Amino acid sequence: MNVLQMTDVTRIHGAGHTAVTALRDVTLGVASGELVAVMGPSGSGKTTLLSIAGGLDRPTAGSVEVEGAEISALRPSELARLRRQRIGYVFQQLNLIDGLTAAENVSLPLELDGVGRKQARQAALTAMSAVGIEELADRYPQDLSGGEQQRVAIARATVGKRSLLLADEPTGALDSITGESVLRLLRGHADAGGASVLVTHDARFAAWADRVVFLRDGRVVDETNTPEGPESLLVPR
Amino acid sequence: MSVAMSLLALLDESPNYGLQLRNLFEERTGGVWPLNVGQVYTTLARLERDGFVRRRPSDADEKLYEMLPAGRRRLREWFATPTRKDAPERDALVLKLVLALGRSDLDAADVIQAERKAAVELLQQYTKLKRDGTEHDLGWLFLLDSLIFQAEARVRWLDMCEERLTRTQQPKSNRKPSRPRERIEVKS
Ligand SMILES: Nc1ncnc2c1ncn2[C@@H]1O[C@H](COP(=O)(O)OP(=O)(O)OP(=O)(O)O)[C@@H](O)[C@H]1O
Ligand SMILES: [Mg+2]
């Protein structure tokens, strides 16, 4: 069973002559242990795909299953719990809460879930140290650089035990080395048995994935084949 | 040129035999740039002729090469001089896309996607090597990063070509240049 299974998903915004088809018959499965990258130009439907996978948006047609549960069949409270406990989401616009410190932002999903304050902070610090920002724990988002805010958002998405990690351009404001450490993190999440989807238009970061899916005008038009072992590079051409 | 300088750099570390030099070169570059022994010996002969290295005379084995002061000076000069790419090399992919534009029997966008997929798969392979490699082997990481950035540049260029293609919804005949453009010298 795939951790995420989207089948024939179509998403149409609006109706009539102003209708925009953001996704068209998209089928995408992500297994445990897998990191899948979605690449495509601006407006090709990447964010739409990710929001539907994360239960933030509903498909016009098609089905979305997370850990075997059909999302559209869940009651709002069940969906909210699934999103809090099982799905980590890194937003393109980060969505950090200004009135909370970095650590409070990170521990929020756990606290909403009833985890004690002390224990939640401990988990937050662990997630923050994984992205190298534990010393920023008590700073507020507006006092952080763009790259630091991005790492807080990643820590928030990875805190606790999430099976599905969805990241929308998580390397946007980062330099090459820091961007690479974010990819090592997503890779590590998959290698530890999680499933991750990374949206990016940067091939250098997409290349960390097991599979790269190409999106054009809301359709999956192509995907990379599982690359052969690195040995094939070492043969003279 | 770069082979000659690599051999000088290795000989600067210690005197060595042709075969060993070849092995050292491949070891340092992770085998990404294979070098044949013949090439090593011709290059050594040229370096010897130019007075940069010599075969150690006292040694019983004639094939042990060592550095001479002129070689050391040449090497230092090489490190101190920025590497220049004088003229762009003729690039098969660029030619392919340019020529695909004029054709009615194929869609340039398909050519772009096929090339992009291949480039991303290559990137995935390089990245796998990087994941498996130790953080401490700096030289190896330098080399892999260089290959990765080159492949990435290729993908970005393909993205740009596709973008131009979709924005230029003109009849095909209009895509051909109407006047000869400024000439760029190209290495053959
Ligand atoms: N709420 C909405 N109402 C109408 N159209 C929308 C809405 N949300 C998205 N769209 C349209 O759907 C298409 C896909 O948008 P989406 O945000 O998924 O693109 P994207 O691939 O994430 O782009 P980017 O790389 O710029 O973030 C776009 O044409 C967009 O204008
Ligand atoms: Mg987007």
Side-chain angles (χ1 to χ4, degrees), chain A residues 127-195:
Chain A
M128 292 178 84
S129 81
V131 278
I133 50 161
E134 74 251 66
E135 73 281 4
L136 303 177
D138 299 316
R139 301 254 290 265
Y140 288 89
Q142 60 271 30
D143 303 331
L144 298 173
S145 76
E148 288 163 349
Q149 291 180 31
Q150 197 133 26
R151 281 184 275 174
V152 174
I154 290 160
R156 181 180 56 186
T158 49
V159 75
K161 294 189 186 70
R162 319 295 184 85
S163 59
L164 180 59
L165 190 54
L166 305 169
D168 200 349
E169 297 282 4
T171 51
L174 303 179
D175 60 65
S176 296
I177 290 270
T178 317
E180 187 174 303
S181 68
V182 167
L183 264 300
R184 283 191 191 277
L185 207 79
L186 294 183
R187 191 65 253 177
H189 179 262
D191 292 344

Side-chain angles (χ1 to χ4, degrees), chain A residues 180 202 209 216 222 225 232, chain B residues 113 116 121 125 130 152:
Chain A
E180 187 174 303
D202 193 332
R216 288 288 173 287
D222 207 354
N225 300 315
S232 63
Chain B
Q113 176 53 27
R116 175 169 33 222
E121 283 172 351
Q125 289 179 305
K130 181 145 95 174
E152 186 207 17

Side-chain angles (χ1 to χ4, degrees), chain A residues 19-42:
Chain A
V20 178
T21 305
L23 283 185
R24 216 184 287 260
D25 296 328
V26 168
T27 294
L28 177 70
V30 185
S32 137
E34 218 183 2
L35 170 61
V36 172
V38 178
M39 286 189 80
S42 191

Side-chain angles (χ1 to χ4, degrees), chain A residues 193-236:
Chain A
S196 316
V197 182
L198 160 73
V199 159
T200 182
H201 49 238
D202 193 332
R204 190 153 37 88
F205 295 126
W208 285 76
D210 301 295
R211 207 145 46 87
V212 181
V213 169
F214 297 93
L215 212 58
R216 288 288 173 287
D217 298 327
R219 284 179 202 276
V220 172
V221 292
D222 207 354
E223 94 180 31
T224 60
N225 300 315
T226 311
E228 304 161 55
E231 312 76 48
S232 63
L233 289 179
L234 309 184
V235 181

Side-chain angles (χ1 to χ4, degrees), chain A residues 55-191:
Chain A
L56 301 165
D57 186 14
R58 286 177 181 266
T60 310
S63 97
V64 181
E65 291 176 3
V66 173
E67 295 186 310
E70 171 62 51
I71 283 195
S72 63
L74 296 178
R75 283 194 304 266
S77 63
E78 292 172 327
L79 178 59
R81 178 146 40 84
L82 180 78
R83 283 179 26 202
R84 253 187 350 256
Q85 298 180 340
R86 310 303 293 158
I87 303 174
Y89 202 104
V90 184
F91 294 89
Q92 195 167 9
Q93 266 75 40
L94 305 185
N95 293 354
L96 297 178
I97 298 165
D98 282 341
L100 301 180
T101 65
E104 286 163 354
N105 264 282
V106 174
S107 63
L108 187 63
L110 298 179
E111 290 197 48
L112 287 175
D113 228 29
V115 175
R117 176 152 279 217
K118 236 180 165 169
Q119 203 188 334
R121 180 172 167 93
Q122 204 45 56
L125 291 179
T126 306
M128 292 178 84
S129 81
V131 278
I133 50 161
E134 74 251 66
E135 73 281 4
L136 303 177
D138 299 316
R139 301 254 290 265
Y140 288 89
Q142 60 271 30
D143 303 331
L144 298 173
S145 76
E148 288 163 349
Q149 291 180 31
Q150 197 133 26
R151 281 184 275 174
V152 174
I154 290 160
R156 181 180 56 186
T158 49
V159 75
K161 294 189 186 70
R162 319 295 184 85
S163 59
L164 180 59
L165 190 54
L166 305 169
D168 200 349
E169 297 282 4
T171 51
L174 303 179
D175 60 65
S176 296
I177 290 270
T178 317
E180 187 174 303
S181 68
V182 167
L183 264 300
R184 283 191 191 277
L185 207 79
L186 294 183
R187 191 65 253 177
H189 179 262
D191 292 344

